[in-house]
Amino acid sequence: CIQVSATQYELFCRIDVSDTGPGIPEEEQAKIFGRFYRAPSAWQTEGVGIGLYLTRQIAEKQGGYVKVESTPGMGSIFSLYLPRES
């Protein structure tokens, strides 16, 4: 199950994408934003490991950032923070 939500704050907007998947171990969480990184558990799934890298690069160019919160067996929440225009 995937859920998307948005929350506006005074200076930025946060977009959360959460899932109920297998989760990401803490030692993998910083690595998943690396260019072409593929977790050992994802080697059989389709993709080249560039999506999260590009997401982070684009967010940073727009003055924002991306973070992940995840618990193995419980799913993940990816949060995109973008500044609001004045």
Side-chain angles (χ1 to χ4, degrees):
C1 179
I2 296 174
Q3 191 171 20
V4 178
S5 64
T7 306
Q8 288 193 47
Y9 298 94
E10 187 174 339
L11 299 176
F12 62 91
C13 179
R14 184 184 81 212
I15 301 167
D16 291 331
V17 178
S18 61
D19 66 40
T20 55
I24 304 163
E26 188 174 343
E27 62 273 7
E28 294 284 318
Q29 291 179 18
K31 297 176 185 177
I32 64 173
F33 293 100
R35 190 166 151 197
F36 301 119
Y37 180 78
R38 303 261 325 209
S41 60
W43 71 272
Q44 286 186 306
T45 59
E46 194 174 321
V48 295
I50 198 164
L52 289 173
Y53 170 79
L54 288 175
T55 300
R56 178 169 271 179
Q57 294 297 308
I58 293 167
E60 288 176 357
K61 298 283 187 207
Q62 298 297 316
Y65 63 96
V66 179
K67 70 175 202 164
V68 64
E69 293 179 35
S70 187
T71 304
M74 304 276 297
S76 303
I77 302 171
F78 289 86
S79 299
L80 170 63
Y81 294 82
L82 294 171
R84 293 184 61 183
E85 292 193 19
S86 306

